[in-house]
């Protein structure tokens, strides 16, 4: 089990941990969907005020921003995201969520903190408490951002709501995300760290009719099947072997009955890429395949292709990332911090803050899984082999980071990274 070194900013953290754990379990039991984080935001705002932070609520919907000015020095932005996911929790934890909510389409869905954002909120509130309690041990200004709706891109909503002008302008943006590696392990990467994500809603138009007389119809089910199969060639035939992209059709919907050929079919397509050039190329190829297959089928109408919320590539600024990597090494041990050879295929909107501000930005991932599940696999083995079977990843109904010592580590890494600029 990892122990974290004590620094002036972490003194008193041990006494804070039982309260943080109770907060974490409460947040976990009460997840809220993207842009519906009203209860969570209320708890965050109340805690920040108790700690002595200047608090602004309802930034970009349900976002909360805390500012603590403590003398001369840089302005550092620390960010946590707050939203849960429409997933039915199956962890069996005593504090598991049994909640449901109504999503944007009006459907009642189960809700779960399946991405660990509850842990991020608890860690940042732990860090803000430590910063407020130890003003003599740092100098500068901290902007604590509790962002709504990371899963659907809530950072741009805060920026559109005047974030840049309403709060002190940060000189560096720092963010962390829990992931299913052993607790005490962390990864980051200078340059592209996480992929761009683009999603499309595609409506294919055919001409419906009786299932016994397909010659009188244009069958959108066959058209959709052809699109899905042909899309598999975009990455394999059009993206270079040393480049990275993913094309996934996550949803396909058409028809109601076996003997009715429907009028339309709908596809939801997700695209991941790590460079602007590949991103543009793959999106263009996907659109070309969709239009081409519709034309080949004799579709009576062009397909409708709607862009859904997208995420840019999360780019870590090299110099600042080197500093954070060294700091994480001090906290966790050098061999526990890995610089990834390739960007991850997951996506984030954290990078939007640094991009909008035009300042350095660093994100890292820290482990939250029970080391016993990894049977002696070291960081290098994990990079090569991936997760062992039985370890749930983010977004799984079984995803359950260990509260301890992950909370302690998450608070300590945030403080240590911030202290690099605030000392
Ligand atoms: Zn997520
Ligand atoms: Zn997440």
């Amino acid at each position: 089990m990892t122990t974290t070194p004590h620094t002036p900013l972490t003194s008193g953290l041990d006494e804070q941990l039982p309260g943080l754990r109770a907060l974490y379990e409460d947040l976990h039991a009460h997840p809220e969907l993207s842009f519906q984080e009203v209860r969570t935001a209320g708890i965050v705002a109340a805690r920040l005020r108790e700690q002595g932070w200047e608090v602004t609520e309802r930034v970009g919907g349900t976002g909360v921003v805390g500012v603590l000015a403590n003398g001369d020095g840089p302005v550092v932005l620390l960010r946590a995201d707050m939203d849960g996911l429409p997933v039915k929790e199956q962890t069996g934890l005593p504090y598991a969520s049994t909640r449901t909510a109504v999503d944007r389409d009006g459907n009642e869905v189960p809700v779960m903190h399946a991405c660990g954002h509850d842990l991020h909120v608890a860690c940042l509130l732990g860090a803000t408490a430590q910063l407020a309690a130890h003003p003599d041990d740092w100098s500068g200004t901290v902007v604590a951002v509790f962002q709504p709706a990371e899963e659907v891109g809530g950072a741009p909503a805060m920026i559109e709501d005047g974030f840049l002008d309403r709060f002190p302008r940060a000189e560096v943006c720092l963010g962390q995300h829990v992931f299913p590696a052993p607790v005490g392990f962390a990864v980051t990467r200078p340059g592209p760290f996480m992929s761009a994500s683009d999603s499309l809603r595609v409506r294919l138009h055919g001409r419906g009719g009786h299932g016994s007389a397909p010659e009188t119809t244009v069958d959108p089910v066959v058209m959709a099947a052809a699109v899905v199969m042909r899309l598999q060639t975009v990455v394999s035939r059009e993206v270079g072997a040393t480049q990275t992209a993913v094309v996934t059709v996550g949803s396909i919907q058409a028809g109601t009955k076996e003997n009715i050929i429907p009028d339309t079919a709908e596809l939801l397509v997700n695209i991941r890429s790590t460079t602007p050039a590949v991103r543009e190329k793959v999106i263009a190829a996907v659109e070309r395949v969709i239009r081409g297959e519709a034309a080949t089928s004799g579709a009576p109408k062009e397909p409708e292709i709607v862009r859904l919320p997208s995420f840019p590539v999360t780019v870590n600024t090299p110099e600042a990332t080197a500093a954070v990597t060294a700091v994480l090494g001090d906290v966790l041990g050098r061999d526990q911090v890995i610089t990834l050879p390739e960007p991850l295929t997951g996506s984030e909107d954290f990078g939007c803050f640094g991009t909008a501000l035009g300042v350095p930005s660093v994100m890292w991932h820290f482990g939250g899984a029970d080391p016993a599940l990894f049977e002696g696999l070291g960081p290098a083995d994990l990079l090569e082999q991936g997760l062992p079977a039985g370890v749930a990843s983010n977004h799984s109904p079984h995803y359950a980071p260990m509260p301890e010592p992950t909370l302690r580590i998450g608070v300590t890494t945030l403080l240590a990274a911030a202290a690099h600029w605030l000392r």
Side-chain angles (χ1 to χ4, degrees), residues 16 36 63 284:
Q16 209 206 137
Q36 298 182 16

Side-chain angles (χ1 to χ4, degrees), residues 79 81 83 85 114-117 120 150-151 177-178 194 347-348 394-395:
R79 177 272 212 166
D81 41 13
D83 51 331
L85 284 160
C115 203
H117 299 182
H120 305 164
E150 186 281 326
E151 298 289 352
H177 203 301
V178 65
M194 298 183 74
S347 302
E348 251 292 340
N394 299 55
H395 292 205

Side-chain angles (χ1 to χ4, degrees), residues 370-395:
D370 184 349
L373 297 170
F374 293 81
E375 290 167 349
L377 289 179
D381 306 316
L382 284 174
L383 279 187
E384 232 164 69
Q385 300 168 24
L387 291 181
V391 178
S393 63
N394 299 55
H395 292 205

